[in-house]
Amino acid sequence: GCFMFVGTIEGWIHVFEHVEQDGAAALRFKFKLQFGKGAVTCITFVPARPAEERPPCLLVCAQKPDSNVAILDCVYGPPSGMLTSLQVRHRVPVQITTTPVQCCFSPSGGGHLISGSEQKSAVVCCISKKSSLQVFALKGHTKTVVAVAVNQADTMLASADIGGKLVIWRRRQEGSARMSVVPEVNLESLSPER
């Protein structure tokens, strides 16, 4: 089935299922999970990758007092394909107190969680069950990093801070999580295509 995940400021995750009802699309409430006490600021779905023993999971950012990004495994069935619960696999400590930050997923090298943080860096953590939890920071900002995104080819990462600075990172080698900064681009000199 198709599912939708909604986070609340009280730390709950609500799960809804897309259903056809009387010929029209509808959302049906399935269950909720008390994830923590801090506001949920971002939920990213990560599809399964059986070859790497990675089940489908969610990456969830939570503000203080939890102040972390969690990896929640999606548990299915029976019946087959029916999401029945979410289980916390690991919580990665990331400083998130008052600013809503985003996280994203990079499939490179078994998969990586990438999150903004109030520590003026983007935080990267391998989520493969085969590897030990390795967390490192990409430093290049002077303010809280609130947004992160990878390109479709998964060769570049963009991180943005609350001061408006955008840093573009390029993957050093195929399958690696290590990134290096692309020379700065003056965004004010760019103009949109007409």
Side-chain angles (χ1 to χ4, degrees), residues 43 83 109 113 122 132 143 157 159 167 176:
I43 300 174
L83 181 64
L113 169 161
S132 62
K143 299 188 184 226
L157 164 72
S159 57
V167 178
S176 168

mmCIF file of all heavy atoms in Angstrom, residues 43 83 109 113 122 132 143 157 159 167 176:
data_model
loop_
_atom_site.group_PDB
_atom_site.id
_atom_site.type_symbol
_atom_site.label_atom_id
_atom_site.label_comp_id
_atom_site.label_asym_id
_atom_site.label_seq_id
_atom_site.Cartn_x
_atom_site.Cartn_y
_atom_site.Cartn_z
ATOM 1 N N ILE A 43 10.474 14.316 8.007
ATOM 2 C CA ILE A 43 10.388 12.863 7.860
ATOM 3 C C ILE A 43 10.772 12.538 6.418
ATOM 4 O O ILE A 43 10.188 13.068 5.483
ATOM 5 C CB ILE A 43 8.970 12.325 8.143
ATOM 6 C CG1 ILE A 43 8.534 12.661 9.568
ATOM 7 C CG2 ILE A 43 8.916 10.816 7.892
ATOM 8 C CD1 ILE A 43 7.088 12.279 9.877
ATOM 9 N N LEU A 83 1.920 -2.031 6.282
ATOM 10 C CA LEU A 83 2.763 -1.452 7.326
ATOM 11 C C LEU A 83 2.064 -1.631 8.669
ATOM 12 O O LEU A 83 0.928 -1.202 8.851
ATOM 13 C CB LEU A 83 3.005 0.033 7.046
ATOM 14 C CG LEU A 83 3.890 0.778 8.036
ATOM 15 C CD1 LEU A 83 5.313 0.232 8.021
ATOM 16 C CD2 LEU A 83 3.908 2.265 7.701
ATOM 17 N N GLY A 109 27.112 4.093 -1.108
ATOM 18 C CA GLY A 109 27.844 3.306 -0.121
ATOM 19 C C GLY A 109 27.000 2.655 0.954
ATOM 20 O O GLY A 109 27.377 2.680 2.110
ATOM 21 N N LEU A 113 22.316 8.963 6.013
ATOM 22 C CA LEU A 113 21.429 10.002 6.519
ATOM 23 C C LEU A 113 22.247 11.294 6.489
ATOM 24 O O LEU A 113 23.411 11.294 6.903
ATOM 25 C CB LEU A 113 21.050 9.629 7.950
ATOM 26 C CG LEU A 113 20.334 10.607 8.861
ATOM 27 C CD1 LEU A 113 19.689 9.828 9.979
ATOM 28 C CD2 LEU A 113 21.204 11.678 9.404
ATOM 29 N N ALA A 122 26.635 20.189 8.349
ATOM 30 C CA ALA A 122 25.743 19.113 7.912
ATOM 31 C C ALA A 122 26.296 17.837 8.532
ATOM 32 O O ALA A 122 27.507 17.603 8.524
ATOM 33 C CB ALA A 122 25.727 19.020 6.393
ATOM 34 N N SER A 132 29.284 -0.158 11.063
ATOM 35 C CA SER A 132 29.123 0.480 12.366
ATOM 36 C C SER A 132 28.664 1.915 12.138
ATOM 37 O O SER A 132 28.875 2.496 11.079
ATOM 38 C CB SER A 132 30.441 0.465 13.138
ATOM 39 O OG SER A 132 31.416 1.199 12.441
ATOM 40 N N LYS A 143 26.515 29.532 10.389
ATOM 41 C CA LYS A 143 25.209 29.604 11.061
ATOM 42 C C LYS A 143 24.535 28.238 10.987
ATOM 43 O O LYS A 143 25.008 27.329 10.313
ATOM 44 C CB LYS A 143 24.337 30.669 10.401
ATOM 45 C CG LYS A 143 24.949 32.055 10.493
ATOM 46 C CD LYS A 143 24.012 33.120 10.025
ATOM 47 C CE LYS A 143 24.798 34.420 10.085
ATOM 48 N NZ LYS A 143 24.190 35.501 10.632
ATOM 49 N N LEU A 157 25.926 17.420 -2.957
ATOM 50 C CA LEU A 157 25.062 17.741 -1.842
ATOM 51 C C LEU A 157 25.025 19.252 -1.718
ATOM 52 O O LEU A 157 26.056 19.918 -1.846
ATOM 53 C CB LEU A 157 25.621 17.125 -0.545
ATOM 54 C CG LEU A 157 25.083 17.658 0.779
ATOM 55 C CD1 LEU A 157 23.652 17.191 1.001
ATOM 56 C CD2 LEU A 157 25.965 17.203 1.931
ATOM 57 N N SER A 159 23.923 22.257 1.009
ATOM 58 C CA SER A 159 23.505 22.560 2.378
ATOM 59 C C SER A 159 23.307 24.065 2.468
ATOM 60 O O SER A 159 24.072 24.837 1.895
ATOM 61 C CB SER A 159 24.538 22.062 3.402
ATOM 62 O OG SER A 159 25.814 22.603 3.160
ATOM 63 N N VAL A 167 26.190 25.980 0.426
ATOM 64 C CA VAL A 167 27.462 25.314 0.157
ATOM 65 C C VAL A 167 27.153 24.076 -0.678
ATOM 66 O O VAL A 167 26.254 23.299 -0.352
ATOM 67 C CB VAL A 167 28.189 24.910 1.462
ATOM 68 C CG1 VAL A 167 29.480 24.174 1.142
ATOM 69 C CG2 VAL A 167 28.478 26.131 2.325
ATOM 70 N N SER A 176 31.601 6.743 -1.885
ATOM 71 C CA SER A 176 32.118 7.310 -0.636
ATOM 72 C C SER A 176 31.139 8.317 -0.059
ATOM 73 O O SER A 176 30.404 8.971 -0.785
ATOM 74 C CB SER A 176 33.452 8.015 -0.918
ATOM 75 O OG SER A 176 33.847 8.794 0.185
#
